[in-house]
Amino acid sequence: MPSFDIVSEIDMHEVTNAVDQAKRELGNRWDFKNVEADIEQDDKGITLSAEQDFQLEQLQDILRMTFAKRNIDSRSLAEDGDSKAGKLVKQHFTLRQGIETDMAKKIVKMIKDAKLKVQASIQGDKVRVTGKKRDDLQTAIALLKEADLELPLQYNNFRD
């Protein structure tokens, strides 16, 4: 029976490359000369730090641009909030991977409401969709691509 998986994954190697590229661009920008600003990556996410709020916004733009150049969806960045430490303003972003249970339920409900001849089931942090015809599965993919979900989705493991 034909099937495919709906997942939300990030290539961490590309994220590391994007952060390195953003750091290089930060070093080349004239408006950040003699300014204490930094982009750091750790296991949990990415931390931006700058002296002023507007500089922090510019750092966000630099990071999102490098993500776009590396074909990483910027919707995978989830803001944790701002913090002020001394003279620096910091903002932490977590990298969202996997589909959470409530989002998976929303995806399954969306597929069932469309009355397609497919079955969707939640399997851990992914959703498996099975059907009798490839065309039905492709219709389900098209339905999810049109839906405006706040999570970047990939469709893999397509089997006939």
Side-chain angles (χ1 to χ4, degrees):
M1 219 159 141
S3 68
F4 71 92
D5 292 336
I6 303 169
V7 295
S8 179
E9 296 174 342
I10 304 171
D11 185 3
M12 292 307 288
H13 185 68
E14 284 296 319
V15 170
T16 304
N17 290 341
V19 169
D20 289 343
Q21 187 176 353
K23 283 182 179 182
R24 279 194 304 276
E25 188 172 334
L26 175 64
N28 292 336
R29 297 248 320 228
W30 63 271
D31 54 343
F32 281 102
K33 296 289 183 203
N34 301 324
V35 174
E36 195 172 327
D38 194 23
I39 301 172
E40 299 172 4
Q41 181 184 4
D42 57 4
D43 296 340
K44 299 174 185 169
I46 299 170
T47 304
L48 308 177
S49 60
E51 293 177 358
Q52 303 289 328
D53 287 333
F54 74 92
Q55 292 170 338
L56 195 64
E57 291 174 16
Q58 290 175 338
L59 283 178
Q60 288 178 17
D61 290 341
I62 291 172
L63 185 65
R64 290 185 195 281
M65 291 293 280
T66 56
F67 266 45
K69 288 177 186 175
R70 292 266 174 198
N71 293 326
I72 304 170
D73 199 327
S74 64
R75 292 181 295 179
S76 60
L77 289 173
E79 291 186 35
D80 275 354
D82 297 345
S83 66
K84 208 162 189 148
K87 65 178 184 176
L88 292 179
V89 180
K90 293 187 177 188
Q91 185 165 28
H92 187 74
F93 291 96
T94 56
L95 298 168
R96 293 193 289 182
Q97 292 198 70
I99 301 175
E100 293 145 9
T101 307
D102 54 335
M103 180 58 76
K105 287 179 182 178
K106 183 178 176 181
I107 290 171
V108 169
K109 185 177 183 336
M110 192 181 307
I111 291 172
K112 288 188 181 195
D113 289 346
K115 304 245 190 279
L116 300 174
K117 294 181 181 178
V118 295
Q119 291 79 36
S121 61
I122 301 170
Q123 296 184 346
D125 60 349
K126 60 184 176 184
V127 177
R128 165 117 352 129
V129 180
T130 58
K132 291 183 179 178
K133 296 180 182 175
R134 275 179 83 154
D135 293 341
D136 295 336
L137 296 178
Q138 290 172 342
T139 306
I141 291 173
L143 171 78
L144 291 172
K145 283 184 178 179
E146 288 176 10
D148 188 26
L149 301 172
E150 63 268 5
L151 192 64
L153 298 177
Q154 293 87 32
Y155 312 96
N156 61 15
N157 206 13
F158 198 97
R159 302 191 181 203
D160 258 336

